[in-house]
Amino acid sequence: MHLESYRCVLCVEDVDGDILHLLFQCQFSQACWIYLGIEWDTSIDHQLMFLRAREKFGSVIFREIIILAMWALWTHRNSIIFDGMPVLLYLEA
Ligand SMILES: [Zn+2]
């Protein structure tokens, strides 16, 4: 799909909004993860990053929470780009 711009619409960083940025590196998504109590160490291999985050989170519903959060981040991004919705304010933990 062609878009006029591929910059992230969720933050003020001047970066392309690729999937890694959207889900883990974006200031907006990081605020969401902190709010949910999930810590990602993006400096390590992705599989290990998921395993460590799950261990630290310590709940059997880790997978369900991250799937829903990633879906919410993706659909929020799309609603801004395609429906003109405003960016939600950052969450305060
Ligand atoms: Zn961003």
Side-chain angles (χ1 to χ4, degrees):
M1 176 177 286
H2 175 74
L3 299 174
E4 290 182 25
S5 171
Y6 294 91
R7 290 193 176 141
C8 179
V9 295
L10 297 174
C11 67
V12 295
E13 296 175 49
D14 188 19
V15 295
D16 285 340
D18 64 21
I19 195 68
L20 288 178
H21 176 82
L22 172 67
L23 297 179
F24 302 109
Q25 299 163 345
C26 181
Q27 295 169 349
F28 182 87
S29 61
Q30 288 178 357
C32 293
W33 294 122
I34 289 169
Y35 183 80
L36 293 170
I38 296 174
E39 296 178 40
W40 300 112
D41 182 355
T42 58
S43 68
I44 57 178
D45 171 73
H46 291 134
Q47 187 174 5
L48 188 57
M49 178 180 84
F50 275 86
L51 291 172
R52 287 196 179 157
R54 186 178 67 185
E55 287 173 8
K56 278 187 173 180
F57 188 67
S59 171
V60 294
I61 59 169
F62 175 78
R63 180 175 27 182
E64 289 80 1
I65 289 174
I66 65 167
I67 289 170
L68 289 172
M70 289 178 178
W71 178 253
L73 288 167
W74 175 249
T75 56
H76 182 50
R77 174 245 185 216
N78 289 343
S79 69
I80 294 166
I81 293 173
F82 301 114
D83 301 330
M85 298 291 289
V87 178
L88 295 175
L89 297 176
Y90 282 43
L91 303 169
E92 294 182 25

